[in-house]
Amino acid sequence: MLGFSEHRLIDEPVVLMFNLFRPSNTKTLSKKNLRAKSSTNQAEYFNLTHTFSSPLHNQVALRVLECYDIAEKQLKQVFPRPEINFKLRGKSAGTAHLQQNQLRFNSTLLTENQDAFFEQVIPHEICHLLAHQLYGRVKPHGREWQALMVTLFKLHPSTTHSMNTQSVEGKQFSYRCDCGPVNLSVRRHNKVVRGETQYRCRRCKRELVADL
């Protein structure tokens, strides 16, 4: 996923020599059949299943189609179009659900960061689906995914986003350790209140105490 969310940015080495054009479990088509099949898929996909009330959401669907068209022309094969929804919450910009062939996007972050979504987030998540369909079970941000990002979309395969997530962070609770104040999410705060867990600072190793 983009996963683009709370994880530390790790720029993994890009393996450009990875053979992107020898997928394990998909079928190649002739250029004529590819063109016909792709056009049919796009028409059915958008006209029948992906007309949203939001113009911005419709633009996302069109960008998804554009990315699949790019992938199919380069890989010379057809891929099933994913389901799209905009129900993702929290700090993640988007997620790819491999078994369901589904893309979920964060509508709030989309509205606030449209350029980043169209340029980075959408191709990022599509590459997760393509890597799964081409190669089966692989590392989420492994060499297969990296090669797709670089080869298909000419993008640096960053694993996280740098968007301002203040609007989607939700309520936070103030705690303290010897290093100073620390904010905990509602979920973590509730775990402390219920006695399910305790949190310690990674630097000073002191237990976090509610800042009353």
Side-chain angles (χ1 to χ4, degrees), residues 175-190:
Y175 281 70
R176 184 171 293 277
C177 66
D178 287 353
C179 300
V182 179
N183 289 328
L184 292 187
S185 65
V186 173
R187 181 176 62 84
R188 290 185 173 180
H189 169 73
N190 288 340

Side-chain angles (χ1 to χ4, degrees), residues 2-138:
L2 220 44
F4 257 74
S5 60
E6 301 174 65
H7 306 291
R8 174 184 290 179
L9 175 62
I10 301 175
D11 291 331
E12 300 172 350
V14 179
V15 184
L16 296 178
M17 297 302 293
F18 181 74
N19 193 341
L20 188 62
F21 299 94
R22 295 183 61 187
S24 61
N25 60 353
T26 51
K27 191 175 182 179
T28 57
L29 297 174
S30 68
K31 185 179 293 185
K32 180 179 178 181
N33 289 339
L34 173 65
R35 187 163 52 246
K37 183 71 173 175
S38 181
S39 297
T40 300
N41 278 352
Q42 290 193 23
E44 291 179 351
Y45 177 82
F46 192 71
N47 293 335
L48 299 182
T49 61
H50 283 83
T51 301
F52 298 98
S53 59
S54 164
L56 181 57
H57 293 179
N58 281 325
Q59 290 177 35
V60 170
L62 288 172
R63 175 59 173 153
V64 169
L65 287 178
E66 181 182 44
C67 289
Y68 270 86
D69 188 50
I70 292 169
E72 289 180 341
K73 286 178 179 177
Q74 292 201 50
L75 297 174
K76 296 180 172 57
Q77 58 194 92
V78 172
F79 299 91
R81 301 300 192 264
E83 177 188 344
I84 300 173
N85 71 54
F86 297 89
K87 299 178 181 178
L88 187 62
R89 299 290 182 265
K91 297 180 182 180
S92 294
T95 56
H97 297 262
L98 307 181
Q99 302 301 327
Q100 298 94 334
N101 193 33
Q102 182 183 88
L103 297 173
R104 296 181 187 177
F105 297 112
N106 188 313
S107 184
T108 301
L109 291 180
L110 166 64
T111 301
E112 297 173 352
N113 305 272
Q114 295 181 30
D115 289 344
F117 263 78
F118 285 92
E119 294 170 10
Q120 287 279 344
V121 177
I122 294 172
H124 178 117
E125 300 306 334
I126 286 174
C127 284
H128 283 305
L129 295 182
L130 295 179
H132 174 70
Q133 290 161 10
L134 286 166
Y135 308 107
R137 187 174 180 178
V138 294

